[in-house]
Amino acid sequence: MARFAWRRPAFLKGKRRTVDYDALAVELRKLRETVAGVTDTVIAAVDGIPIVSDVADSVDPLNISALAAANLGIARQAAEVTRQGTLNQTVVFNSGGYMAVYAIGRVALLVVLGDSGLNLGRLLYETRPMTDRIGSILAP
């Protein structure tokens, strides 16, 4: 069974705006329910600190967020050096599954872990509008 965890993102500290963590949790749950093969999801700040997660007990959202932030940072540098536009996502293909990392503006990221049966086409289709909604929820 999945567990949810919530943390106030650093870019909102000191501001009076509150984040609707329940709305973020709904987005993560919806992704798991609509895309075959999604096993775990995390929304994190770009510094690697998890904001909200829907992960199994065996997955540490802090480790996944830190790795995803590093992955996103390197991929952003590659996008800048190659002058191919703004980075949208990266996907790590593993022998037992996938890790997809999506940029949510310059302040956050979405990490999706999937098993070997992950439907990548459906994931891409579902995450485009989802990252826009998450960005709106997190916007200060």
Side-chain angles (χ1 to χ4, degrees):
M1 180 53 86
R3 63 185 162 107
F4 284 95
W6 294 270
R7 292 187 189 202
R8 187 166 180 77
F11 61 90
L12 288 179
K13 295 223 187 236
K15 298 186 179 180
R16 295 204 178 269
R17 186 183 185 294
T18 59
V19 173
D20 188 348
Y21 293 101
D22 291 332
L24 294 174
V26 166
E27 292 294 337
L28 296 182
R29 192 174 307 117
K30 191 183 325 178
L31 186 64
R32 182 191 295 265
E33 293 170 356
T34 58
V35 180
V38 170
T39 59
D40 306 279
T41 53
V42 179
I43 298 170
V46 291
D47 62 1
I49 303 299
I51 297 169
V52 62
S53 61
D54 177 13
V55 297
D57 289 335
S58 61
V59 176
D60 181 357
L62 188 58
N63 285 340
I64 296 300
S65 297
L67 288 169
N71 175 281
L72 188 67
I74 292 168
R76 276 194 168 132
Q77 288 297 317
E80 286 180 26
V81 167
T82 59
R83 298 180 184 187
Q84 294 179 323
T86 304
L87 177 75
N88 295 318
Q89 73 180 52
T90 69
V91 180
V92 177
F93 295 82
N94 303 299
S95 61
Y98 304 89
M99 179 179 82
V101 181
Y102 298 87
I104 302 173
R106 301 286 294 173
V107 297
L109 57 91
L110 167 67
V111 185
V112 179
L113 300 180
D115 60 26
S116 60
L118 179 66
N119 184 333
L120 283 173
R122 181 67 187 246
L123 181 65
L124 179 61
Y125 177 78
E126 294 293 338
T127 53
R128 285 183 180 173
M130 180 186 176
T131 56
D132 290 341
R133 291 190 303 270
I134 291 169
S136 295
I137 294 167
L138 292 174

